[in-house]
Amino acid sequence: MERRGAAGGGAAVQSCHTVFPAHANERGELGAGQLLQWIDTTACLAAEKHAGVSCVTASMDDIQFEETARVGQIITIKAKVNRAFSTSMEVGIKVAVQDTLANTEKLVSVAYATYVAKPAGGVKIELKPVNLLSRQDHLEHSLATERRRIRLDYEKVFQNLMQESNREDGCYDILKEEDAVSTELTRVQSIELVLPPHANHHENAFGGQIMAWMETVASISASRLCRSYPVLKSVDMFKFRGPSVVGDRLVFNAIVNNTFQNSVEVGVRVEAYNCEEWIKDQARHINSAFLIFHAVNDKGELLTFPRVKPTTKDGMRRYHGAIARRRIRLARKCMLSPKEDMPVDLWERSNQAYLSYSNIATLTHLAAKPGWEITSTLDNIKIWTHEEGNVLSLKVEMQVKVPSDAAFSLLSDFTRRQQWDKHYLQVLEDLNEDEKIYYITSPSVTGCKPNDFVVLVSRRQPCKPSEPYVVAVKSVTLTSMPPSSEYCRSEVLCAGFQIYSESSSSCTVCYFNQVTSGILAHLAANLTGSSKSIEDTAVACMKFLELEGSKD
């Protein structure tokens, strides 16, 4: 087995494209299909720069288009390999549009794609790790593992939501509406022949070319509902199930699955045939994707799409599937941005993967921030603070004589926290081995009501020795545990531990907390010197770890 990988940092590629009339639609805006081609080509070049061999597109995560580009403007695409797994890589993509006359630049999209190394001759290779050079490299490298978990869990999440959607009666109500449009009226089919310009030097069709063809047929399908020119706003995950080569006939089938006031979801299925399969009508399913469109009038105002109704069993399945995917998109919008410091209602257990990602990502972003300032040093304990605008964060660093895996096991089990921290805890939900929900009460510092919290605790073990163990904590809203008049319901925006191994018998434990009113009184007292409660708690934590760790 051969190991391949670039010698420098995460392989990066940048491309610039001027938008000419040939790239634009009837409104003079860059066609989404053309943009998808450029994105895929740039990202694939970054992947091949790292792998040193030919690569193919495996999947493209959900893409949100925030801005449009017009004729004469310049599109800049930056792609960089964030992490290499065994034979696949995650490539981060950032797209911006520049207006040279107005001297402005706007973000169009941020996306992530997965590419697989495909060396000639079928030789097995193992990709070398990405050489991390900057703080941002380390951050994206850490979060790539979490995003990979979401990709692997996507099908399970979707099936859970489908079961919930199937129990609802909304679809049967719509069947009774006389003004609802049959989805069969939006069905569109198109056939393309894969020619050499559509493929790479190994004669595999470019993933971006297939995406562009899918956008074209989906746009036609959506236009049959809005009587206007639809605008692509987002794409649910492109997943390539199999290859297509020069000479294949590609059949694209598109149909509207459902409408949601100002948006419509169109499903596209791609089947490939070589010459022999074409004669025998033996299709290869190579791709499916779901594209979400808006439509605007001449004034740029959003148009309302008519309701649709499925008329077949398969149409009913697609109708429910669109509802499930929309719920996933809404959950992702709320949870995947580390800037969204808000509790999230867990009424949907199927969105657990996205909530967990948010929990881990928020802590990872906080720990990676530059500008931490040390405010106190006591033996093997250091206290740091970080100010950013009106946000104050706390970091407590402890040098502990216990193996990192033992510290991780002890600190991630919150039922044992009472042994070193004066809080009462109750396990509310045991979601899985790595995710648990706790109810916590704590005494008041100011003499008012005691505080209580409902938090999600997410734990992660490192993928390699240089990475930390992670225990992330974030408030959630649980309908089964509403606020009580006896307590003041407080919120944990971001907290948790990162545990680094120093040797076989010692580790560095870093505790982080983005300060809320619940701990502000503790921190204020510490900073003024009138209290040592944070140091005292840290000392108690170290004693607990070293005592319990020595028993293992």
Side-chain angles (χ1 to χ4, degrees), residues 164-181:
E164 291 183 26
S165 183
N166 285 329
R167 291 193 292 266
E168 298 174 356
D169 295 328
C171 185
Y172 301 99
D173 293 338
I174 192 64
L175 292 176
K176 301 175 183 178
E177 294 190 18
E178 295 182 0
D179 59 344
V181 179

Side-chain angles (χ1 to χ4, degrees), residues 519-530:
I519 70 163
L520 187 58
H522 294 280
L523 182 58
N526 269 76
L527 295 179
T528 58
S530 61

Side-chain angles (χ1 to χ4, degrees), residues 40 49 92 94 126 132 243 248 331 346 369 389 410 414 425 452 525:
D40 179 65
K49 185 178 180 180
K94 182 178 180 180
E126 182 180 347
L132 307 176
D248 277 352
L346 287 185
K369 286 181 180 294
L410 292 166
F414 268 43
L425 296 104
D452 69 345

Side-chain angles (χ1 to χ4, degrees), residues 93-112:
I93 306 156
K94 182 178 180 180
V95 184
V97 57
Q98 299 173 332
D99 190 319
T100 54
L101 299 180
N103 194 28
T104 60
E105 179 175 296
K106 295 181 179 179
L107 182 66
V108 175
S109 184
V110 174
Y112 300 94

Side-chain angles (χ1 to χ4, degrees), residues 273-509:
Y273 302 79
N274 60 28
C275 190
E276 183 178 349
E277 291 166 339
W278 186 249
I279 296 172
K280 297 180 179 179
D281 196 24
Q282 294 176 342
R284 287 178 281 121
H285 180 199
I286 64 167
N287 198 319
S288 287
F290 304 93
L291 296 84
I292 295 82
F293 292 88
H294 291 177
V296 296
N297 58 22
D298 295 337
K299 299 179 181 179
E301 300 168 333
L302 285 175
L303 298 178
T304 300
F305 285 92
R307 300 289 299 276
V308 295
K309 60 181 178 182
T311 56
T312 64
K313 184 177 180 181
D314 183 62
M316 199 82 76
R317 176 186 62 80
R318 289 185 281 100
Y319 184 95
H320 285 302
I323 295 172
R325 282 182 291 273
R326 184 170 186 264
R327 291 168 74 176
I328 291 175
R329 286 193 297 272
L330 293 175
R332 196 172 313 197
K333 186 176 181 180
C334 292
M335 300 177 199
L336 293 193
S337 172
K339 297 179 182 179
E340 294 286 343
D341 296 322
M342 63 178 68
V344 182
D345 196 330
L346 287 185
W347 59 271
E348 280 193 87
R349 294 287 164 254
S350 47
N351 284 330
Q352 175 194 321
Y354 309 109
L355 183 58
S356 299
Y357 175 90
S358 174
N359 200 12
I360 298 292
T362 304
L363 178 63
T364 304
H365 274 270
L366 178 60
K369 286 181 180 294
W372 286 94
E373 296 183 358
I374 191 165
T375 60
S376 175
T377 302
L378 175 66
D379 296 330
N380 291 322
I381 300 171
K382 294 179 181 179
I383 297 179
W384 310 67
T385 56
H386 181 278
E387 293 185 65
E388 187 174 18
N390 296 324
V391 179
L392 179 64
S393 300
L394 170 73
K395 173 184 174 182
V396 181
E397 182 181 299
M398 299 166 277
Q399 303 297 323
V400 185
K401 296 178 181 178
V402 65
S404 55
D405 58 342
F408 171 69
S409 177
L410 292 166
L411 291 175
S412 61
D413 183 357
F414 268 43
T415 60
R416 305 192 66 173
R417 186 157 179 163
Q418 300 169 69
Q419 299 179 41
W420 59 273
D421 196 3
K422 296 177 181 179
H423 293 80
Y424 166 78
L425 296 104
Q426 175 187 355
V427 182
L428 296 177
E429 299 262 353
D430 193 345
L431 301 178
N432 58 46
E433 184 181 353
D434 292 327
E435 323 289 338
K436 290 181 174 60
I437 299 175
Y438 293 90
Y439 175 67
I440 305 172
T441 62
S442 64
S444 172
V445 179
T446 60
C448 300
K449 292 181 180 179
N451 298 316
D452 69 345
F453 307 81
V454 178
V455 298
L456 171 70
V457 177
S458 303
R459 41 175 270 164
R460 297 288 186 272
Q461 298 190 43
C463 295
K464 55 184 183 180
S466 60
E467 296 178 347
Y469 290 88
V470 178
V471 182
V473 184
K474 191 173 185 178
S475 281
V476 293
T477 301
L478 205 60
T479 53
S480 60
M481 185 58 68
S484 166
S485 59
E486 299 178 16
Y487 295 94
C488 178
R489 177 59 55 88
S490 299
E491 182 181 2
V492 177
L493 296 177
C494 171
F497 299 92
Q498 286 190 341
I499 305 166
Y500 290 87
S501 178
E502 299 296 342
S503 69
S504 60
S505 60
S506 65
C507 65
T508 298
V509 176

Side-chain angles (χ1 to χ4, degrees), residues 77-306:
I77 303 172
K78 297 179 180 179
K80 181 172 68 68
V81 175
N82 291 330
R83 187 160 193 151
F85 299 97
S86 181
T87 59
S88 66
M89 294 152 282
E90 181 194 90
V91 179
I93 306 156
K94 182 178 180 180
V95 184
V97 57
Q98 299 173 332
D99 190 319
T100 54
L101 299 180
N103 194 28
T104 60
E105 179 175 296
K106 295 181 179 179
L107 182 66
V108 175
S109 184
V110 174
Y112 300 94
T114 302
Y115 289 82
V116 176
K118 290 286 186 181
V123 179
K124 288 186 177 182
I125 67 168
E126 182 180 347
L127 296 171
K128 289 184 179 179
V130 173
N131 186 13
L132 307 176
L133 302 179
S134 68
R135 186 184 300 270
Q136 187 65 26
D137 287 346
H138 283 275
L139 180 61
E140 291 295 344
H141 186 263
S142 298
L143 296 180
T145 302
E146 288 300 306
R147 288 187 288 264
R148 188 168 188 249
R149 287 171 68 109
I150 288 181
R151 293 181 199 112
L152 297 175
D153 288 346
Y154 182 89
E155 191 60 31
K156 180 181 178 181
V157 171
F158 177 73
Q159 291 302 329
N160 289 342
L161 280 175
M162 280 292 286
Q163 292 177 9
E164 291 183 26
S165 183
N166 285 329
R167 291 193 292 266
E168 298 174 356
D169 295 328
C171 185
Y172 301 99
D173 293 338
I174 192 64
L175 292 176
K176 301 175 183 178
E177 294 190 18
E178 295 182 0
D179 59 344
V181 179
S182 170
T183 55
E184 292 301 312
L185 297 177
T186 67
R187 189 179 293 276
V188 176
Q189 185 180 89
S190 179
I191 302 175
E192 300 286 350
L193 178 63
V194 180
L195 299 173
H198 304 142
N200 62 19
H201 51 289
H202 292 299
E203 297 192 343
N204 291 315
F206 288 119
Q209 178 62 70
I210 296 174
M211 294 181 205
W213 283 331
M214 294 174 78
E215 189 275 335
T216 299
V217 70
S219 178
I220 296 172
S221 177
S223 69
R224 294 187 175 178
L225 273 185
C226 61
R227 308 296 185 209
S228 180
Y229 300 109
V231 180
L232 182 65
K233 296 304 294 182
S234 65
V235 183
D236 264 23
M237 187 182 294
F238 281 110
K239 187 174 183 180
F240 290 86
R241 302 171 183 270
S244 173
V245 298
V246 171
D248 277 352
R249 289 84 171 155
L250 302 186
V251 179
F252 298 81
N253 287 294
I255 189 170
V256 167
N257 292 332
N258 208 334
T259 58
F260 306 99
Q261 192 70 17
N262 299 123
S263 65
V264 57
E265 182 193 278
V266 181
V268 183
R269 178 184 173 95
V270 187
E271 295 175 334
Y273 302 79
N274 60 28
C275 190
E276 183 178 349
E277 291 166 339
W278 186 249
I279 296 172
K280 297 180 179 179
D281 196 24
Q282 294 176 342
R284 287 178 281 121
H285 180 199
I286 64 167
N287 198 319
S288 287
F290 304 93
L291 296 84
I292 295 82
F293 292 88
H294 291 177
V296 296
N297 58 22
D298 295 337
K299 299 179 181 179
E301 300 168 333
L302 285 175
L303 298 178
T304 300
F305 285 92

